[in-house]
Amino acid sequence: MKKIDAHQHFWQFDPVRDSWITDDMFVIQQDFLPEHLAPLLAENDFEGCVVVQSDQSEAENLFQLKNAAENKFVKGVVGWIDLRADDIEEKLSWYSKFEKLKGFRHVLQGEAQRDLMLEPSFMHGIGLLHQFGFTYDILIFPDQLPYVPSLAAAFPQQQFVIDHIAKPAIAAGEIANWKKNIEAVAKYTNVSCKVSGMVTEANWANWKQEDFTPYLDTITQAFGEDRIMFGSDWPVCLVAASYKQVIKIAADYFSQFSSEVQNKFFNLNASRFYKL
């Protein structure tokens, strides 16, 4: 079974721009580029990946599009754009010329205004994505999940995906509130979910496979077999686990499902969502 990694990053490390990479994450305070990921993909039977923005600039889009143009295994790019800009429609039209640019993301998790996604100017930008065939990655913390149903309901034709299962506090074992809110979001069939970024929400030095089981149970039951996809969150995952370990967490859990479901999770769902 060939696989797609639906969520990873490339960067040339810049301590000022990448100040989110704090000193406790020293292991990723370095460059991570396509030549570093290529052998890991080959070794683990992945045929390609989707690179996701890690810097909120349009320079980031050009950097990642160049990576995609030069590396066939980079199947898609999720970039960044100022959705509130006055010229958003012109910008989207321009970006629609790039075949490998599949969608956009904003770092909503870091915004002081927790419901920024429901700001009229932000929603105006979201409302234009569909006509250009762009997806939208929702990067949030659990406290922002209650805003997602309103966003999903406002744009039923827009394809959304929740990144990193909305980052529940796995290390603390907090699940009740997150579960209730993620189930409410999953009722909207235009929202998918990336099973990614879990190890960084667990105890970095001391996580166990079973720590993730209740969260994976919730996601698979809520979203079903057609709206979940695998993402490694490499290289961010390296603060807590190797690439192989991250794959193993997902593979061990999904080994209880049919090969058809596994193929959807590791390949088909991401390929369909991002039109790879």
Side-chain angles (χ1 to χ4, degrees), residues 28-239:
I28 58 169
Q29 290 179 329
Q30 57 181 298
D31 294 356
F32 289 94
L33 296 164
E35 60 263 34
H36 303 126
L37 182 61
L40 296 173
L41 293 175
E43 203 179 296
N44 293 283
D45 204 26
F46 279 76
E47 64 177 331
C49 60
V50 175
V51 62
V52 179
Q53 63 81 223
S54 48
D55 176 49
Q56 302 205 114
S57 71
E58 292 193 52
E60 171 82 347
N61 300 339
L62 301 178
F63 171 65
Q64 303 301 1
L65 284 166
K66 183 172 184 287
N67 287 325
E70 292 171 357
N71 297 275
K72 202 171 156 205
F73 67 83
V74 183
K75 305 287 187 189
V77 173
V78 175
W80 177 85
I81 198 165
D82 181 1
L83 290 163
R84 294 173 285 176
D86 292 339
D87 61 348
I88 180 66
E89 193 161 0
E90 290 84 347
K91 285 208 161 132
L92 290 172
S93 175
W94 186 76
Y95 278 120
S96 68
K97 296 181 300 195
F98 296 92
E99 195 189 341
K100 282 192 174 181
L101 189 60
K102 303 301 183 179
F104 294 97
R105 177 175 93 153
H106 185 84
V107 184
L108 288 166
Q109 67 175 35
E111 292 286 350
Q113 185 184 340
R114 305 310 282 160
D115 65 346
L116 180 68
M117 69 182 83
L118 300 181
E119 182 79 25
S121 58
F122 195 89
M123 290 180 80
H124 171 71
I126 293 282
L128 295 170
L129 295 177
H130 175 71
Q131 72 190 72
F132 296 103
F134 289 126
T135 59
Y136 188 74
D137 272 56
I138 302 176
L139 177 63
I140 51 171
F141 282 128
D143 69 297
Q144 295 167 294
L145 273 170
Y147 307 122
V148 178
S150 298
L151 186 69
F155 306 105
Q157 286 185 296
Q158 178 59 42
Q159 288 298 305
F160 295 99
V161 61
I162 301 279
D163 286 351
H164 311 326
I165 69 170
K167 298 194 163 187
I170 296 172
E174 290 173 13
I175 194 165
N177 243 2
W178 168 84
K179 184 175 192 283
K180 173 177 64 104
N181 290 324
I182 206 92
E183 286 170 347
V185 167
K187 290 191 170 79
Y188 293 85
T189 56
N190 57 327
V191 185
S192 295
C193 188
K194 284 186 187 176
V195 174
S196 59
M198 295 190 304
V199 290
T200 49
E201 303 311 315
N203 182 320
W204 292 1
N206 200 25
W207 57 264
K208 305 180 296 299
Q209 174 80 26
E210 52 268 32
D211 296 342
F212 307 108
T213 305
Y215 300 93
L216 288 164
D217 286 346
T218 299
I219 292 298
T220 50
Q221 286 159 21
F223 286 91
E225 62 189 54
D226 295 316
R227 291 187 289 139
I228 51 174
M229 60 188 85
F230 172 79
S232 67
D233 199 27
W234 179 94
V236 185
C237 66
L238 300 178
V239 301

Side-chain angles (χ1 to χ4, degrees), residues 40 43-44 241-249:
L40 296 173
E43 203 179 296
N44 293 283
S242 69
Y243 194 75
K244 204 176 268 296
Q245 285 175 309
V246 172
I247 297 163
K248 189 175 186 302
I249 291 165

